[in-house]
C-alpha cells in the first residue's frame, strides 16, 4: 500500500494511518481497478484479466498458480523425514 502512495513507513502520514485507513485504501484501489476493467470491451477485458508472466508479459496457462516450478517435492519430503539431501 505504501509503495503505491510512494510513502516510507517512517513518514508521519504513514505512521498516522490506522488499520481502517489501510482497509479503505485497499478497497478503493480494488474498486478503481474494477471500474477500469468495466470500461473495456469483453475481449480486451479477458486479455487484461489473463495471468501473465511478470517478466516477459506472455500469458501463462494458469496451471500451478502460486507454485514454484523449481520446487523439488521429493527432496522436501526427504528433508522433512530427517534424511540427508
Amino acid at each position: 500500500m505504501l509503495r503505491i502512495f510512494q510513502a516510507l513507513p517512517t513518514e508521519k502520514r504513514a505512521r498516522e494511518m490506522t488499520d481502517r485507513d489501510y482497509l479503505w485504501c485497499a478497497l478503493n484501489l480494488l474498486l478503481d481497478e474494477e471500474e477500469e476493467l468495466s470500461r473495456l470491451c469483453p475481449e480486451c477485458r479477458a486479455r487484461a484479466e489473463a495471468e501473465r508472466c511478470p517478466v516477459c508479459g506472455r500469458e501463462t496457462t494458469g496451471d500451478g498458480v502460486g507454485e514454484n516450478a523449481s520446487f523439488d517435492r521429493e527432496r522436501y519430503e526427504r528433508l522433512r523425514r530427517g534424511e540427508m539431501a
Side-chain angles (χ1 to χ4, degrees):
M1 182 72 55
L2 295 177
R3 185 181 339 162
I4 292 170
F5 294 109
Q6 298 179 346
L8 295 172
T10 54
E11 289 183 41
K12 182 181 178 195
R13 63 185 174 142
R15 287 193 322 263
E16 291 177 350
M17 285 184 69
T18 64
D19 290 343
R20 183 181 176 136
D21 294 331
Y22 281 104
L23 180 60
W24 185 86
C25 286
L27 175 62
N28 279 283
L29 287 171
L30 288 173
L31 291 172
D32 290 346
E33 183 179 315
E34 182 61 34
E35 184 179 337
E36 285 181 31
L37 289 173
S38 70
R39 295 175 45 213
L40 300 174
C41 71
E43 184 179 321
C44 290
R45 183 177 178 140
R47 278 199 319 251
E49 291 178 328
E51 292 186 35
R52 301 200 172 275
C53 171
V55 177
C56 70
R58 278 188 274 162
E59 196 169 324
T60 60
T61 61
D63 296 340
V65 172
E67 292 181 16
N68 183 347
S70 64
F71 181 72
D72 185 350
R73 179 153 304 276
E74 291 177 19
R75 181 171 182 259
Y76 168 77
E77 292 298 333
R78 286 193 311 269
L79 291 171
R80 192 176 78 152
R81 291 189 301 265
E83 300 172 11
M84 296 303 291

